[in-house]
Amino acid sequence: MKPVKYRKLKESVSAYLYLLPSFVVLGLFVFWPIIYSFYLSFFKWDFQNQDNPIFIGFENYIKLFKLDKPISISFNSDFFNTLILVMSFIFFMHLIFDYKKIEKRYQKNLVIIMSCLGIIALFLANSVNYLSIVISIIQLIIYTFLIVSDFVTQKSNKTFLKLLLFVAFYAFFYWFGVPEIISFLLLAKQQSLFIKAIWNTTYYVLLSTPITIFLALIVALLLNQKVRGKAFFRTIYFIPFVTSVVAVSLVWQWLFNDNGLINYFLIQLGFSKVSWLKDQAYTIPTVAIISIWKMVGYYSIIFLSGLQNIDQSYYEAAEVDGASPFQKFRFITLPLLSPTTFFIIIVAMIGAFKVFDEIFILYVGMPGPYNNSGMTLVYYIYDKFYNQQRMGEASAAAYVLFGITLVFTFFQMRASKKKIYYDS
């Protein structure tokens, strides 16, 4: 009888030999281009230097964020004023919702002091230099210390109320005149095409992703009901996803035209025409509408799969206890659907960051009607690589996009880690 170790080694070698063709294909067409593009991001490689790329270090990355003209607002001032605004709100929320849950007295005192200190600093931010920098750094250090010392065993989960309070908090100090990072970005995106691409992409992600997921969940809940023709409706909702992006964009181009079907219905309802394809203010919303229409069916099918995996005994027990449909949705469906929701959020967000096809087809190869209003990160990379033949800058931009997506995904995973329930 052969030794156990030898048999395990033979099985492992056999398994890897079966996987070897896949590794070779992935290495040639995925891993090698990724590694080589990262290498190229440190070189000046364009149509003039194709044979002999020139090593320039981080110059490509610096050039992406370089402004054509200086602006009146200081980035450092706005960054730290924004940081102190966020940190003060965090301490303020702990003071309102979690104060009684903090066990140690010195931790309670730190929360009170940091909340008061932050609000005082916000009122004096415009008149005292470097105050926001010092206070925000102190708040960040103190909060890190409190997190490490586990100062709150069970935090309040009143997310919607916290969101409303943050909007009120932000609006008050914005009206009061505290400079913030958004003011800097609004000016900077006019002087840097890459910053504008980041702004437009983030705007698109924040606009399209929540609406798509919400509508997909609603459609999935409807398709999960006992109605006739469920297979037909599932097919109807799924068709936009499998349809060619080119065909979809061309149809929507006709619908959004000045004399298209959408404006026809708006006129019939008593509204005036909307310049969907000519006004830069509607560029990102127009692309978002197309993407939402295309992706809702796909995500609803995934939601539907998650809904059908929920054991019906939970609902039967809830009915015995007299639970209402909303209570069953809130306390059974949402928690048990959280793994599916988490997966969809991650996939939808990453997909939204890669938006390109809709813009390219809808505006006939241009990044929007004018003023680069449809310039996104992927379109920027395409323009640098294909049109301008600046491969080094395109590679640097691609890795900045990768970094942004990685940061968003990391925070999403951290935020959702304790809210996902896996039913065993």
Side-chain angles (χ1 to χ4, degrees):
M1 185 177 181
K2 295 181 180 179
V4 176
K5 290 184 179 181
Y6 175 76
R7 188 168 65 252
K8 287 184 177 179
L9 178 62
K10 184 180 178 181
E11 290 174 355
S12 299
V13 171
S14 300
Y16 281 111
L17 285 175
Y18 279 113
L19 293 173
L20 184 61
S22 298
F23 286 145
V24 171
V25 173
L26 288 173
L28 288 175
F29 297 103
V30 179
F31 300 136
W32 169 244
I34 290 174
I35 296 170
Y36 191 61
S37 63
F38 181 70
Y39 169 78
L40 287 178
S41 67
F42 299 102
F43 285 81
K44 183 180 180 181
W45 189 37
D46 50 28
F47 63 92
Q48 293 180 343
N49 302 282
Q50 288 186 5
D51 296 330
N52 298 303
I54 303 172
F55 178 78
I56 55 175
F58 289 95
E59 188 174 327
N60 284 328
Y61 291 92
I62 296 171
K63 191 175 181 179
L64 293 175
F65 297 94
K66 189 176 181 180
L67 304 180
D68 296 334
K69 297 179 182 178
I71 59 177
S72 58
I73 298 179
S74 169
F75 173 78
N76 292 334
S77 173
D78 277 3
F79 174 79
F80 285 105
N81 277 323
T82 302
L83 180 60
I84 198 173
L85 184 71
V86 173
M87 293 307 303
S88 299
F89 174 79
I90 291 173
F91 278 111
F92 199 58
M93 289 302 96
H94 283 305
L95 186 62
I96 295 175
F97 295 105
D98 304 321
Y99 184 75
K100 293 182 180 180
K101 300 175 184 177
I102 302 174
E103 297 179 355
K104 298 179 181 179
R105 187 64 189 176
Y106 79 92
Q107 293 175 340
K108 292 185 176 182
N109 293 336
L110 284 174
V111 171
I112 295 173
I113 293 170
M114 290 298 106
S115 300
C116 297
L117 195 64
I119 293 174
I120 292 171
L122 283 169
F123 280 105
L124 300 176
N126 289 328
S127 56
V128 181
N129 293 329
Y130 302 109
L131 179 64
S132 59
I133 299 176
V134 175
I135 300 299
S136 61
I137 292 175
I138 293 174
Q139 285 181 319
L140 194 59
I141 293 172
I142 295 297
Y143 192 68
T144 303
F145 167 73
L146 291 174
I147 290 291
V148 172
S149 61
D150 197 18
F151 73 111
V152 180
T153 55
Q154 187 177 2
K155 297 179 182 178
S156 171
N157 196 28
K158 299 178 180 179
T159 307
F160 183 71
L161 184 57
K162 289 180 180 180
L163 182 62
L164 290 178
L165 287 173
F166 178 73
V167 171
F169 194 78
Y170 180 85
F172 174 78
F173 283 102
Y174 183 80
W175 172 79
F176 184 73
V178 176
E180 33 73 41
I181 198 67
I182 294 179
S183 298
F184 176 86
L185 292 175
L186 285 172
L187 294 175
K189 72 186 184 74
Q190 304 300 329
Q191 302 299 330
S192 171
L193 189 58
F194 186 72
I195 294 177
K196 188 164 192 173
I198 294 176
W199 177 276
N200 289 340
T201 306
T202 306
Y203 175 29
Y204 170 81
V205 171
L206 297 178
L207 179 63
S208 64
T209 305
I211 298 175
T212 305
I213 294 172
F214 174 75
L215 292 178
L217 179 58
I218 298 298
V219 171
L221 290 171
L222 293 175
L223 293 177
N224 198 40
Q225 302 299 314
K226 295 180 180 180
V227 294
R228 292 182 179 180
K230 286 194 295 185
F232 171 76
F233 288 111
R234 291 174 189 175
T235 305
I236 290 296
Y237 281 109
F238 195 72
I239 283 176
F241 177 72
V242 297
T243 306
S244 169
V245 178
V246 176
V248 168
S249 300
L250 287 174
V251 171
W252 279 97
Q253 186 184 59
W254 172 74
L255 291 173
F256 281 124
N257 199 282
D258 287 348
N259 297 317
L261 197 61
I262 294 177
N263 277 328
Y264 172 78
F265 282 116
L266 288 175
I267 293 172
Q268 295 301 316
L269 294 172
F271 297 99
S272 58
K273 286 184 178 181
V274 176
S275 300
W276 297 100
L277 301 178
K278 295 180 180 178
D279 190 342
Q280 63 173 341
Y282 292 105
T283 303
I284 297 300
T286 299
V287 177
I289 290 171
I290 299 173
S291 299
I292 291 168
W293 177 83
K294 181 176 174 60
M295 299 304 299
V296 160
Y298 172 66
Y299 295 132
S300 64
I301 295 298
I302 299 176
F303 268 129
L304 185 61
S305 176
L307 288 170
Q308 292 178 344
N309 284 330
I310 298 176
D311 194 339
Q312 293 299 312
S313 61
Y314 294 112
Y315 295 106
E316 294 170 359
E319 287 179 2
V320 172
D321 293 335
S324 65
F326 177 75
Q327 288 174 325
K328 287 189 285 185
F329 173 75
R330 179 183 176 185
F331 296 108
I332 298 176
T333 304
L334 281 183
L336 295 179
L337 201 61
S338 57
T340 305
T341 307
F342 172 69
F343 169 76
I344 290 176
I345 289 173
I346 296 296
V347 172
M349 186 184 64
I350 294 174
F353 270 107
K354 299 188 296 182
V355 61
F356 171 77
D357 296 341
E358 294 86 347
I359 297 173
F360 188 84
I361 302 299
L362 197 63
Y363 295 100
V364 197
M366 299 296 292
Y370 61 92
N371 199 24
N372 293 304
S373 58
M375 179 63 71
T376 58
L377 286 169
V378 175
Y379 200 105
Y380 182 91
I381 295 167
Y382 161 80
D383 183 63
K384 285 292 180 183
F385 183 87
Y386 186 77
N387 294 333
Q388 302 183 31
Q389 296 289 304
R390 297 180 181 178
M391 294 75 167
E393 292 181 33
S395 299
Y399 271 90
V400 172
L401 171 59
F402 169 75
I404 293 172
T405 308
L406 186 66
V407 169
F408 269 81
T409 305
F410 172 78
F411 280 110
Q412 183 61 47
M413 293 182 69
R414 293 288 297 177
S416 303
K417 187 176 182 181
K418 295 182 179 179
K419 297 183 180 180
I420 300 176
Y421 177 78
Y422 292 99
D423 184 22
S424 54

